[in-house]
Amino acid sequence: MRISRLTPWAAGFAAASLLLLPASATAGQRTAAGAPGDAPASSVQAAPASAAVSASAIDTYYAAAEGKTGAALKTALHNIIKTQSKVTYDGVWNALKVTDQDPANPNNVILVYSGRSQSKSTNGGGVNDWNREHVWAKSHGDFGTATGPGTDLHHLRPEDVTVNSTRGNKDFDKGGSPVAEAPGSFTDSDSFEPRDAVKGDVARMLLYMAVRYDGGDGFADLEVNDKVNNGSAPAIGRISVLKQWNLQDPPDAFEQRRNQVIFDTYQHNRNPFIDHPEWVNSIW
């Protein structure tokens, strides 16, 4: 597969301004107000990325993957994205306040599963606080909060403490009962289904992890499979469902901006499946 400046995903990405983004319903339906004193949505702007990225810059970053498919593409992408700076687990708190800032209110973050806009200052361990959700559950590979996969911003998102606990370390699949405080999300005994607006986000975060962590760096080789109940194995599923979600919910402006902020400001690596979601089917 040739990487081209005319690739629709890259062209769309280049066209989106990463300096000033409008509020996006797909980034999260703001179902609750922020803390008292938050600025009105109409008077604020999103936190800026350093600059709008060009399609040619994306081409250059992925040049070593050009023309590859399957296992060769996966290996090439691993070699590209493994070069990164690392964030401490304490540092994740402040990073998420930037990466997941509500485009309509700079005092708030968007909670990934809940879709709620919530004050940045309410992070912590209380019932209505938000905390650091490991989308690739940290027990799947037993990496905990170690600097590396345990602190990789490409799969860490803000989430309500109670919802985070409900998700736990479950794999991702369809079905179950509605999740309180996360409208549109469902769960059962062995799986979690996120709301439609972030289904693709979840899929691309997990697939990033499966490419980035391949058994080097002293960590387990993370892989996606088509099972649930993976427990502490370095695996997560279901890949068949994740592939559907990647197609169903393509990258939006919020997800693209987030990828750019992580690249510019924190880790200096990218999630290739946000830039090129078509690569999911090329590999899996």
Side-chain angles (χ1 to χ4, degrees):
M1 178 183 298
R2 180 174 178 79
I3 305 171
S4 169
R5 287 196 297 268
L6 298 179
T7 300
W9 297 105
F13 187 18
S17 170
L18 294 172
L19 295 174
L20 301 175
L21 291 178
S24 170
T26 57
Q29 292 73 28
R30 284 174 292 280
T31 56
D38 285 352
S42 61
S43 67
V44 297
Q45 298 170 336
S50 63
V53 68
S54 68
S56 61
I58 295 176
D59 284 358
T60 299
Y61 182 75
Y62 294 116
E66 183 169 346
K68 295 180 172 63
T69 60
L73 175 58
K74 185 181 179 186
T75 298
L77 292 176
H78 168 76
N79 288 332
I80 292 167
I81 67 177
K82 71 179 182 181
T83 301
Q84 66 176 103
S85 300
K86 295 181 173 65
V87 181
T88 67
Y89 197 51
D90 282 342
V92 168
W93 286 120
N94 286 331
L96 292 181
K97 294 175 183 179
V98 179
T99 61
D100 290 74
Q101 179 172 298
D102 183 345
N105 188 336
N107 298 309
N108 288 11
V109 291
I110 299 290
L111 308 187
V112 60
Y113 306 135
S114 303
R116 187 168 75 235
S117 178
Q118 183 159 324
S119 174
K120 292 177 178 179
S121 66
T122 60
N123 62 295
V127 172
N128 291 313
D129 289 342
W130 63 267
N131 61 4
R132 297 160 291 188
E133 157 67 347
H134 291 78
V135 177
W136 185 293
K138 56 184 180 289
S139 63
H140 289 232
D142 196 30
F143 53 76
T145 60
T147 301
T151 66
D152 196 311
L153 295 171
H154 282 296
H155 85 115
L156 284 160
R157 300 291 289 267
E159 185 49 69
D160 175 87
V161 168
T162 303
V163 176
N164 195 341
S165 178
T166 297
R167 187 268 158 134
N169 69 345
K170 295 172 183 175
D171 294 85
F172 290 92
D173 201 358
K174 299 177 182 178
S177 302
V179 178
E181 296 191 72
S185 298
F186 301 88
T187 193
D188 56 23
S189 62
D190 57 20
S191 69
F192 189 90
E193 177 181 354
R195 61 194 175 99
D196 289 348
V198 295
K199 279 182 164 66
D201 305 50
V202 166
R204 289 180 284 273
M205 285 186 277
L206 297 176
L207 299 177
Y208 162 87
M209 293 291 283
V211 170
R212 169 60 186 88
Y213 299 99
D214 70 345
D217 305 321
F219 299 108
D221 181 4
L222 305 184
E223 295 292 345
V224 287
N225 61 20
D226 212 32
K227 303 182 345 185
V228 293
N229 283 323
N230 277 294
S232 62
I236 209 161
R238 297 182 179 261
I239 181 57
S240 59
V241 173
L242 299 177
K243 289 172 67 176
Q244 292 173 25
W245 290 352
N246 176 59
L247 294 173
Q248 174 184 334
D249 173 38
D252 62 14
F254 185 92
E255 190 180 1
Q256 291 167 338
R257 176 194 169 276
R258 188 177 197 278
N259 192 30
Q260 189 65 29
V261 170
I262 293 172
F263 178 77
D264 287 339
T265 306
Y266 296 103
Q267 296 185 181
H268 312 299
N269 72 340
R270 306 184 69 85
N271 182 333
F273 305 112
I274 296 174
D275 295 329
H276 285 277
E278 73 277 9
W279 281 345
V280 173
N281 282 344
S282 295
I283 295 175
W284 288 280

